[in-house]
Amino acid sequence: MIRLYSIPPSLYSAKVRIVLRAKQYDWEDIPPPGGYGSEAYREIVPSGTLPAIDHGGFVLVDSEAINEYLNELAPGPRMWPEDIVERARARALSRFHDTRLEPSVRALFSHVDPARRDEEFVAAQAGIIAERLEQLARMVTPAPLIAGERLSLADCGYPITFTFLDMLNGPMGLNIEFPDSIAVYFSALQREPNVAAELDSYRPALAAWVEATIGSSDEV
């Protein structure tokens, strides 16, 4: 049994759960003892970050490292392309999500509440996100997913970030449109069974977070 330390709206925890589903592992979600960032949690996970897994006493953090570990732990299904060039390209696209696209969306989180929103910052950030999506459209030719017909590790962050963006687009007045190829890719991701199963439970958690944040007087 694999323990996954997570909280409901955690994007990167959802990314790991997609792989757990795809690899058909038994796992349980565990909230961080004492809450996210607590001293009790840091006794288990020194960095205090989410997600983290505990597999028989082996504790590992960082969604990319976790997913690599989960992929190698069981032989199938393989979640990287076999060809070395295609595998390198898929890894680069996975890193593009984690280091370029997702951070540009995450920067909006502290502006979800209208009472705390800097409209000038939000407009500028929307421009950056639109640019990142255009870059992605030039970098990838989904067929229908990043590495072909089968789900790969490179795909697993995108449906969650796209869902975040889709949900924030209207309430925050971002006016961001997905490039045509990326909209088609997002549709294909949502039809993939393991992604669809994760989004079925993740969307309500995300919607609850957005609703609570809009009406909250606390920092995000």
Side-chain angles (χ1 to χ4, degrees), residues 73-125:
L73 191 61
R78 294 174 61 92
M79 297 190 71
W80 282 130
E82 293 189 20
D83 179 77
I84 187 171
V85 171
E86 293 304 315
R87 190 162 65 248
R89 183 177 288 119
R91 280 196 166 103
L93 289 165
S94 184
R95 297 309 297 153
F96 181 84
H97 170 269
D98 288 2
T99 65
R100 298 292 188 272
L101 178 61
E102 191 278 342
S104 68
V105 176
R106 182 175 293 270
L108 295 173
F109 292 180
S110 59
H111 299 267
V112 173
D113 185 349
R116 298 176 178 273
R117 187 174 302 162
D118 181 333
E119 297 289 356
E120 186 175 332
F121 174 86
V122 168
Q125 200 63 29

Side-chain angles (χ1 to χ4, degrees), residues 166-182:
D166 200 36
M167 195 166 290
L168 295 178
N169 211 5
M172 297 190 72
L174 301 177
N175 298 316
I176 294 173
E177 294 186 8
F178 289 96
D180 289 345
S181 63
I182 301 305

Side-chain angles (χ1 to χ4, degrees), residues 144-155:
L145 304 179
I146 280 178
E149 295 184 359
R150 235 170 35 184
L151 185 72
S152 74
L153 296 189
D155 293 299

